[in-house]
Amino acid sequence: MNFLEERIVKDGIVKEGNVLKVDSFLNHQMDIALFEQMGAEFLKRFEGREINKILTIEASGIGIACVVARYFHCPVVFAKKSKSINIEGDMYIAEVESFTHKNKNQVIVSKKFLKGDDHLLIIDDFLANGCALQGLISIATSAGATVEGIGIAIEKGFQPGGQIIRNLGYQLESLAIVDHMDASTGKITFRQQE
Amino acid sequence: MNFLEERIVKDGIVKEGNVLKVDSFLNHQMDIALFEQMGAEFLKRFEGREINKILTIEASGIGIACVVARYFHCPVVFAKKSKSINIEGDMYIAEVESFTHKNKNQVIVSKKFLKGDDHLLIIDDFLANGCALQGLISIATSAGATVEGIGIAIEKGFQPGGQIIRNLGYQLESLAIVDHMDASTGKITFRQQE
């Protein structure tokens, strides 16, 4: 097990309905030392990629992205989520429909901050069905930017988001891929990664 | 002028209605090297304070808080904003009314992550009327935690939020206090700080 898998086993809580609560260290209370380990690991996994900007989405992606950005010496742009259209100025907008909740959301980034010569690392805390991530890729594509890679803290490997993104040819690196969870025993099975 | 004031003069845009746009480096695109300078400066200004946790609020406070937290070697907890009540579990909830928009919002933190023995540094990007900040202080008080200090990137000194908080006896440190802005000339006047 790597450092993140160990932490999930130690402090994560498996709940009914395939819910994994990691709010004590990842997405409500945030362990910055852990985020630094994640930054160092992403730097290793994306070695050789020329990355000049990190793209993430509010809210819980922002903290990880900002700490990871120190390792790549680049700024972070975060996409905003919105349910309605009341946007001033020139924005990239991706409409994404949640597979789980069936509702539509918009993912929004100002055109000022994504350009055709940007080489992006997309960072987020969770990947399940990949709805938010699809929105971010859509926006990067609209801008003509290059997605050099995608770094995720925890992927739910039993949901289709990760497979779809890999099928599309992106280098997707999830630090922990949960293949199975059992709420009755609390047991979490991770996918073997070399 | 300090480093943040210089950056505001260089890249901030003054708009009609006392709007200061700093989205190219602070709250949409985020300059992580700048946030590190802010962390070092807050560490200096809050020297001698025993801080074990940083409290902030989504979304644009999170990035600054996470980078600043490296200097204080502590975790970050971010409060969530919500318009409605559908909260599971044990939460601290502060109801705050916006002076400007007249709408009510809730500021929410899980009781698991704020305790009576916590010594908090509250971090946010902007302080104007101080609505969000009042919610964070209210929640800290509910938890019995001690607010050791409040660190803000940009305070609008011509709005009442900062004065109220200082009157209440809190050590409030704003790295840039804008006393006046002129949209027609773009000129920004900062309050002198020693």
Side-chain angles (χ1 to χ4, degrees):
Chain A
M1 281 197 293
N2 69 24
F3 65 96
L4 183 58
E5 292 165 337
E6 281 171 4
R7 186 61 177 272
I8 293 166
V9 167
K10 180 169 165 279
D11 292 328
I13 298 165
V14 182
K15 299 219 166 188
E16 288 299 337
N18 277 327
V19 172
L20 177 60
K21 277 193 83 90
V22 289
D23 59 354
S24 66
F25 58 95
L26 198 76
N27 50 18
H28 186 12
Q29 183 166 254
M30 299 181 288
D31 181 334
I32 306 306
L34 181 79
F35 290 7
E36 293 190 312
Q37 284 183 282
M38 292 169 52
E41 178 65 24
F42 282 134
L43 188 63
K44 217 163 64 183
R45 295 201 187 190
F46 294 108
E47 203 191 335
R49 298 275 186 177
E50 292 290 337
I51 288 158
N52 77 315
K53 198 170 279 180
I54 289 180
L55 178 65
T56 186
I57 185 162
E58 64 179 9
S60 43
I62 298 175
I64 299 171
C66 285
V67 176
V68 170
R70 288 187 52 248
Y71 291 82
F72 291 88
H73 305 287
C74 70
V76 173
V77 172
F78 72 88
K80 300 176 187 198
K81 288 179 201 163
S82 172
K83 284 189 198 312
S84 62
I85 309 181
N86 65 342
I87 305 302
E88 59 155 281
D90 246 8
M91 302 288 179
Y92 293 114
I93 301 178
E95 183 108 348
V96 289
E97 189 172 353
S98 163
F99 184 79
T100 332
H101 305 289
K102 302 294 175 203
N103 57 341
K104 283 187 184 179
N105 278 289
Q106 291 180 330
V107 176
I108 302 159
V109 173
S110 169
K111 288 191 178 177
K112 287 187 292 182
F113 305 131
L114 281 185
K115 301 292 179 188
D117 56 359
D118 277 329
H119 290 254
L120 304 175
L121 173 61
I122 295 177
I123 293 283
D124 208 358
D125 57 339
F126 256 99
L127 173 59
N129 286 313
C131 186
L133 181 54
Q134 289 151 26
L136 291 175
I137 293 172
S138 164
I139 277 179
T141 307
S142 302
T146 307
V147 176
E148 291 288 341
I150 299 162
I152 300 289
I154 305 176
E155 177 182 339
K156 288 179 169 176
F158 50 85
Q159 286 181 248
Q163 189 60 63
I164 294 163
I165 298 299
R166 290 188 184 92
N167 284 347
L168 289 167
Y170 292 102
Q171 184 187 351
L172 165 61
E173 299 286 345
S174 300
L175 301 185
I177 303 176
V178 176
D179 269 339
H180 189 259
M181 311 190 282
D182 187 329
S184 63
T185 63
K187 190 173 157 53
I188 301 166
T189 310
F190 296 103
R191 187 174 305 171
Q192 202 72 36
Q193 301 190 59
E194 69 281 3
Chain B
M1 282 196 290
N2 69 23
F3 66 96
L4 183 59
E5 293 165 337
E6 282 171 5
R7 186 61 177 272
I8 294 167
V9 167
K10 180 168 166 278
D11 291 328
I13 298 165
V14 182
K15 298 217 166 189
E16 288 298 338
N18 277 326
V19 172
L20 177 60
K21 278 192 83 88
V22 288
D23 59 353
S24 65
F25 58 96
L26 198 75
N27 50 17
H28 185 12
Q29 182 166 254
M30 298 181 289
D31 181 334
I32 306 304
L34 180 79
F35 290 7
E36 293 189 312
Q37 284 183 282
M38 292 168 51
E41 178 66 22
F42 282 134
L43 187 63
K44 216 162 66 183
R45 296 202 188 189
F46 294 108
E47 201 191 335
R49 298 274 187 178
E50 293 289 337
I51 288 157
N52 76 316
K53 197 171 279 180
I54 288 180
L55 178 65
T56 187
I57 186 161
E58 65 178 10
S60 43
I62 298 175
I64 299 171
C66 284
V67 175
V68 169
R70 288 187 53 248
Y71 291 82
F72 291 88
H73 306 287
C74 70
V76 174
V77 172
F78 72 87
K80 300 176 187 197
K81 287 180 202 163
S82 171
K83 285 189 197 308
S84 62
I85 308 180
N86 63 343
I87 305 302
E88 58 155 280
D90 246 8
M91 302 286 180
Y92 294 115
I93 301 178
E95 183 109 346
V96 290
E97 188 171 353
S98 164
F99 184 80
T100 331
H101 305 290
K102 302 295 174 204
N103 57 341
K104 283 187 184 182
N105 278 286
Q106 291 180 329
V107 176
I108 301 159
V109 173
S110 169
K111 288 190 179 177
K112 287 187 291 184
F113 306 131
L114 281 184
K115 301 292 181 190
D117 57 358
D118 277 330
H119 290 254
L120 305 174
L121 173 61
I122 296 177
I123 293 282
D124 207 357
D125 57 339
F126 256 99
L127 173 59
N129 285 312
C131 187
L133 181 54
Q134 289 151 27
L136 292 175
I137 292 172
S138 165
I139 277 178
T141 307
S142 302
T146 307
V147 176
E148 291 287 341
I150 299 162
I152 300 289
I154 304 175
E155 177 182 336
K156 287 179 168 174
F158 50 85
Q159 286 182 248
Q163 190 59 65
I164 293 163
I165 297 299
R166 290 188 184 93
N167 284 347
L168 289 168
Y170 292 102
Q171 185 188 351
L172 166 62
E173 299 286 344
S174 300
L175 301 185
I177 303 176
V178 175
D179 269 340
H180 189 258
M181 312 190 284
D182 187 329
S184 64
T185 63
K187 188 171 159 56
I188 301 166
T189 310
F190 295 103
R191 187 174 305 172
Q192 203 72 33
Q193 301 190 58
E194 68 282 6

